[in-house]
Amino acid sequence: MELLKNKILEEGRVLGKDVLKVDSFLNHQIDVELFNEIGKEFKKRFQNKEVTKILTIEASGIGIACITAQYFNVPVVFAKKHEATNMDKDNYEAEIFSFTKNKSYTIKVSKKYILPEDKVLIIDDFLANANAASALISVVEQAKAEVVGVGIVIEKGFQNGRKVIEDKNIKLESLAILESMEDGKVIFKKLT
Amino acid sequence: MELLKNKILEEGRVLGKDVLKVDSFLNHQIDVELFNEIGKEFKKRFQNKEVTKILTIEASGIGIACITAQYFNVPVVFAKKHEATNMDKDNYEAEIFSFTKNKSYTIKVSKKYILPEDKVLIIDDFLANANAASALISVVEQAKAEVVGVGIVIEKGFQNGRKVIEDKNIKLESLAILESMEDGKVIFKKLT
C-alpha cells in the first residue's frame, strides 16, 4: 500500500535493528484519514470473505479495527491485556510472551462476544513473531468460531510471524512488509 | 441522545450501586454503527468550536475518539496508561487516582503531539469523579494548548465530575447522564 509505505518512509524512525517507531500516525497520535484508507484496503484484500466480527487487542489495534469495521459493517471485539475491573469471569484466555518485556501476560475475551457461528477477521498494527496474533487465533478456536484471515498494517518480514500464521492455513494480508531496517534505513519487500 | 439511552436500557447491567456494565457495545465489544451516531452527536454539540485535535485515554476511549474524529477531520492522540516500550522520554505526565483499584497511576503524552496552537476536544467513555478528564486537561494545560471541551458518552450524574470540569470553565457535553442506579435500575436525568 503506497500511501502507507510513503508515510513510514517520511515519519517512521528506526531504533536499533528491529524497532520501527510510528507513533506520529499509528500508535500514539492517529492519522484517521490514513486509517480510512487502511480500512478500505483491508476490505479490498478480504472482499471474498464473509466476516461477522473483527477481533483485535488493546490498545493500538482498537482504532484500526474500529475504522476498518465500518467497511465490513460488523462489530469489533478487543481482547483485554490488562486487569480490568468489572471484567466477566467467563472468558477465553491465551498467553502472550512479550520479547520486549521478557515476560508473559494473559489476554481475555468474554465468551459472550465470540460465538461458534462467528467468522472472525483479526486485525492488528504490527506482526513480528505472531505472538499476539497466535493468542487471538487461539481465542477464536476456543470459541469454535472461524478465523477468516489476519490483517496487519506493518509486518516485520525478517521475523517468523508469517510462517506461524500460514502454517495454520490462515490467509494473512499485510499492508506494508519490512524486508530489513539495517543502518536505520527501512527497506520494503518488493511485492507490497 | 435517545439511541444511546435505549441501548443502555436494553443492554446495560447495573452492578452494585455505581457500576454500569456496557461491555456489549462500548468497552469490550464495540457497536461501530452506534459509535458513528455518537460521533455525529459530538460534532453537533461542539459545532461552534474550532477543534484541531481529539485527546483520549487508552483503551476504551480510542474507538470512540477515532470514529468521532472523522466528523471533525482531525487526528486523535491517546494518552498511555501503561508502560510502553519505545515511548519517548519527553512527555507530559499527569497522575490519576483510581478508586476501583485504590492506587494512582501516571498517564503520558509525548510533547510532540500536543502543541501550544492546538484546540483540543477531550473524549472519553465515562465520567464519574473526573479523575481521568482532569489528568487529560492537565496535559493540555502543560502544553499551553486550549481545551475546547470535554465530550463524554456516559456521565454518572450522581458523582462530582461535572462540577470539577465546569469549575474550570470548560464546556462539558455528556450524551447520557445517569441520575441513579438504585435497585439495579438505570434512571436518566431528564435533560439528556
Side-chain angles (χ1 to χ4, degrees):
Chain A
M1 184 181 168
E2 282 310 308
L3 186 69
L4 173 65
K5 291 198 286 182
N6 289 336
K7 192 84 171 175
I8 293 169
L9 292 175
E10 281 162 23
E11 300 188 15
R13 283 177 297 147
V14 177
L15 304 180
K17 274 189 309 188
D18 60 359
V19 173
L20 176 65
K21 242 174 105 77
V22 284
D23 61 353
S24 69
F25 62 94
L26 193 68
N27 47 25
H28 184 18
Q29 182 167 246
I30 290 172
D31 181 337
V32 178
E33 210 170 322
L34 175 68
F35 275 27
N36 264 297
E37 296 307 316
I38 286 172
K40 282 180 212 168
E41 183 69 21
F42 279 135
K43 176 64 187 171
K44 205 170 95 185
R45 302 230 187 159
F46 292 100
Q47 62 187 330
N48 300 322
K49 299 281 188 180
E50 187 194 346
V51 174
T52 64
K53 210 156 269 179
I54 289 178
L55 177 65
T56 188
I57 183 165
E58 65 175 335
S60 352
I62 298 174
I64 304 157
C66 284
I67 299 291
T68 299
Q70 298 176 121
Y71 298 95
F72 289 87
N73 294 309
V74 297
V76 168
V77 175
F78 66 89
K80 308 257 183 174
K81 274 205 285 208
H82 304 283
E83 273 314 308
T85 359
N86 318 331
M87 181 86 190
D88 282 341
K89 296 285 168 278
D90 207 17
N91 302 308
Y92 297 115
E93 299 190 356
E95 292 287 312
I96 299 184
F97 182 77
S98 165
F99 281 99
T100 41
K101 294 179 184 167
N102 197 31
K103 64 172 187 181
S104 288
Y105 58 95
T106 303
I107 62 162
K108 294 182 184 183
V109 174
S110 166
K111 290 187 179 176
K112 285 187 293 194
Y113 303 129
I114 305 286
L115 303 174
E117 61 267 32
D118 273 323
K119 296 175 190 305
V120 180
L121 175 61
I122 292 170
I123 294 282
D124 207 0
D125 55 347
F126 272 97
L127 179 74
N129 293 302
N131 291 323
S134 296
L136 293 172
I137 291 168
S138 164
V139 162
V140 178
E141 287 172 348
Q142 288 174 58
K144 303 198 188 312
E146 183 190 341
V147 180
V148 298
V150 175
I152 297 291
V153 180
I154 302 175
E155 175 185 337
K156 291 175 174 169
F158 48 87
Q159 294 189 270
N160 75 333
R162 174 166 293 270
K163 183 169 181 335
V164 171
I165 291 170
E166 290 182 342
D167 280 354
K168 294 178 202 278
N169 286 315
I170 292 172
K171 179 181 164 83
L172 167 65
E173 288 286 346
S174 302
L175 306 189
I177 303 181
L178 308 176
E179 187 167 279
S180 76
M181 298 195 294
E182 278 167 29
D183 305 322
K185 199 171 161 346
V186 171
I187 310 286
F188 294 106
K189 286 217 167 166
K190 289 262 165 54
L191 63 142
T192 54
Chain B
M1 185 183 167
E2 282 311 308
L3 185 69
L4 173 64
K5 290 199 286 182
N6 289 337
K7 192 83 172 174
I8 293 169
L9 292 175
E10 280 163 25
E11 300 189 16
R13 284 178 296 148
V14 177
L15 304 181
K17 274 190 311 191
D18 61 358
V19 172
L20 176 66
K21 243 175 103 82
V22 284
D23 62 352
S24 69
F25 62 93
L26 194 68
N27 47 25
H28 185 20
Q29 182 167 248
I30 291 173
D31 181 337
V32 178
E33 211 171 321
L34 175 69
F35 276 28
N36 264 297
E37 296 307 315
I38 287 172
K40 281 180 209 166
E41 183 69 22
F42 280 135
K43 177 63 188 171
K44 205 169 96 185
R45 302 231 187 158
F46 292 101
Q47 62 187 329
N48 300 321
K49 298 281 189 183
E50 188 193 346
V51 174
T52 66
K53 211 156 267 180
I54 289 179
L55 178 64
T56 188
I57 184 167
E58 63 176 333
S60 356
I62 298 174
I64 304 156
C66 283
I67 299 291
T68 298
Q70 299 176 120
Y71 297 96
F72 290 88
N73 293 308
V74 298
V76 168
V77 175
F78 66 90
K80 308 257 183 172
K81 276 206 283 208
H82 303 285
E83 274 312 309
T85 358
N86 317 331
M87 181 86 189
D88 282 343
K89 296 285 169 279
D90 207 16
N91 301 308
Y92 298 115
E93 299 190 356
E95 292 288 311
I96 299 185
F97 183 75
S98 164
F99 282 97
T100 40
K101 293 180 184 166
N102 197 32
K103 63 173 188 179
S104 290
Y105 57 96
T106 304
I107 61 162
K108 295 182 183 183
V109 174
S110 166
K111 291 187 178 173
K112 284 185 293 192
Y113 304 130
I114 305 285
L115 303 174
E117 61 268 30
D118 273 322
K119 296 175 189 306
V120 180
L121 175 61
I122 291 170
I123 294 283
D124 208 0
D125 56 347
F126 272 97
L127 181 74
N129 293 302
N131 292 323
S134 297
L136 293 172
I137 291 168
S138 164
V139 162
V140 178
E141 287 172 347
Q142 289 174 56
K144 303 196 187 317
E146 184 191 340
V147 180
V148 299
V150 174
I152 297 291
V153 180
I154 303 175
E155 176 186 336
K156 292 174 175 172
F158 49 87
Q159 293 189 271
N160 75 333
R162 174 167 291 272
K163 184 170 181 332
V164 170
I165 291 170
E166 290 182 342
D167 281 354
K168 294 177 202 276
N169 286 313
I170 292 172
K171 179 181 165 79
L172 168 65
E173 289 285 348
S174 301
L175 306 190
I177 304 181
L178 309 177
E179 187 167 281
S180 77
M181 298 195 294
E182 279 166 30
D183 304 323
K185 197 168 159 355
V186 170
I187 309 286
F188 294 105
K189 287 217 166 165
K190 289 262 166 51
L191 63 142
T192 54

